[in-house]
Amino acid sequence: MSVRGFRVVFTGNLCDGISRREGISRLSKMLGLEFDDINRLLSVHNPTVKRFGMKAEADRLVKLFRGAGWSAEVIQSSSGSTCVNSEDKTPQYTDSTKVLKNETSQIAASDGSCSLKVPFPWQRLCGLNRRAVIQVGNLNENTFHVVLSKPVQSIDSSAALENYCCRQLRHCAEQVHCGEIRRAVTSLRRAGFNGFVGELAAEIDQVRVRYLVACSSEGGRVFTQVAWCESEDFDRNRERLLGVVSSLDVVNTQAQRDVNLRPMSRATSPTVLQHRRRMRA
């Protein structure tokens, strides 16, 4: 029986002359990794991607990563055992070099009015919108999502909610630089979510940004969700963003704290996206 005493560790460091965006593209094209797999790989510190019984096999995988523009290392287990010690609890690839299955986490609103189910490695953030009850996102992807909530009395029909969402979308487009509505408000009904959603584009410092703006009403409150990322990533992110939008779980209680709704403020403009990009750099 062969003992898998060699493990390949992905360092996350790019080779000289390779940009992060090019490296991500190469991981997809050359190693056949999907977007979620790449996201997981880049979000874990020094993950063990696979174990081998022979060093030559491990070296081949290292060369594949280097060919894709990324650094990886071969580490030999001192005992030659396949057991995972306390310093090696990182995820491993399967034989097809996939990273890990999707995981999600539930993020509760600050006022207790609702919660969102977000994909790993999204996390709770701050400073995106001071009036938001939920602020989440992924800094590595420059993908962000906020939820705003307020009590309502006048939205008593689907038509009224659709009109409300149209107003929010127009207001958002007016508040951002080069704001342009790209998709008119349409019905969004999935996974128990019943609301409306529209899309807009904007620009900041010559970087194009795309937004989803969604509205729903439940439990005596109206919820406006705004999600955004760079335009070149938006098409592949759309379904994921819609999935987060439709995961909204409303808590029907009279004890919720009133939160004033402001659908798009300076904090949710593309300026925040650029600020996050500079922080990451």
Side-chain angles (χ1 to χ4, degrees):
M1 180 177 66
S2 64
V3 178
R4 297 192 173 190
F6 300 92
R7 58 189 178 95
V8 175
V9 174
F10 180 82
T11 68
N13 297 322
L14 285 159
C15 299
D16 292 341
I18 303 296
S19 68
R20 183 179 180 86
R21 189 169 298 281
E22 181 182 0
I24 291 174
S25 177
R26 288 189 179 190
L27 286 175
S28 175
K29 294 178 180 178
M30 299 178 67
L31 275 74
L33 299 181
E34 297 178 356
F35 179 73
D36 289 342
D37 300 324
I38 295 172
N39 192 37
R40 294 297 298 270
L41 183 64
L42 296 178
S43 301
V44 179
H45 178 66
N46 290 342
T48 296
V49 295
K50 196 173 182 181
R51 294 178 179 274
F52 296 92
M54 299 179 63
K55 187 174 184 299
E57 296 174 328
D59 286 339
R60 281 195 289 271
L61 182 55
V62 168
K63 289 181 179 179
L64 284 175
F65 276 113
R66 289 177 180 170
W70 297 88
S71 171
E73 299 176 353
V74 177
I75 298 178
Q76 183 176 9
S77 301
S78 58
S79 63
S81 170
T82 60
C83 295
V84 179
N85 59 37
S86 61
E87 297 180 354
D88 181 23
K89 297 181 180 180
T90 52
Q92 299 182 48
Y93 282 108
T94 64
D95 290 338
S96 60
T97 67
K98 294 297 182 181
V99 184
L100 287 177
K101 294 181 179 179
N102 289 340
E103 293 179 2
T104 59
S105 58
Q106 201 82 14
I107 304 293
S110 58
D111 66 348
S113 63
C114 61
S115 64
L116 276 185
K117 184 179 293 184
V118 302
F120 178 91
W122 284 32
Q123 59 184 316
R124 190 185 297 276
L125 300 175
C126 60
L128 300 179
N129 187 304
R130 64 186 180 85
R131 297 185 183 276
V133 296
I134 296 179
Q135 304 179 69
V136 291
N138 185 335
L139 296 178
N140 287 327
E141 298 177 359
N142 287 320
T143 302
F144 306 99
H145 192 119
V146 298
V147 181
L148 301 107
S149 165
K150 76 169 185 179
V152 294
Q153 296 178 346
S154 59
I155 299 181
D156 54 3
S157 68
S158 178
L161 180 61
E162 182 177 8
N163 289 335
Y164 181 87
C165 193
C166 289
R167 293 196 301 271
Q168 302 307 308
L169 185 64
R170 288 195 299 269
H171 182 77
C172 290
E174 293 169 356
Q175 297 301 308
V176 295
H177 181 61
C178 294
E180 175 189 358
I181 295 177
R182 298 297 296 272
R183 288 194 178 188
V185 168
T186 58
S187 175
L188 178 64
R189 290 179 172 81
R190 57 164 70 179
F193 182 88
N194 189 354
F196 293 88
V197 62
E199 298 178 11
L200 65 95
E203 182 178 312
I204 182 68
D205 294 338
Q206 298 183 339
V207 176
R208 297 294 295 173
V209 182
R210 289 284 297 275
Y211 291 85
L212 282 178
V213 179
C215 298
S216 58
S217 179
E218 186 177 346
R221 306 185 74 84
V222 62
F223 297 89
T224 298
Q225 299 185 60
V226 183
W228 68 97
C229 67
E230 294 182 30
S231 291
E232 60 187 79
D233 298 326
F234 186 80
D235 286 340
R236 67 177 180 178
N237 277 336
R238 180 185 285 108
E239 280 303 312
R240 169 179 284 193
L241 295 177
L242 288 173
V244 175
V245 166
S246 60
S247 74
L248 184 72
D249 186 15
V250 176
V251 178
N252 293 300
T253 172
Q254 296 301 318
Q256 298 168 1
R257 178 173 58 86
D258 290 350
V259 177
N260 294 325
L261 176 66
R262 192 163 73 182
M264 177 73 76
S265 69
R266 182 178 178 83
T268 54
S269 73
T271 303
V272 172
L273 180 61
Q274 292 302 95
H275 175 61
R276 295 290 182 180
R277 295 175 75 241
R278 286 194 291 269
M279 284 181 60
R280 190 184 70 181

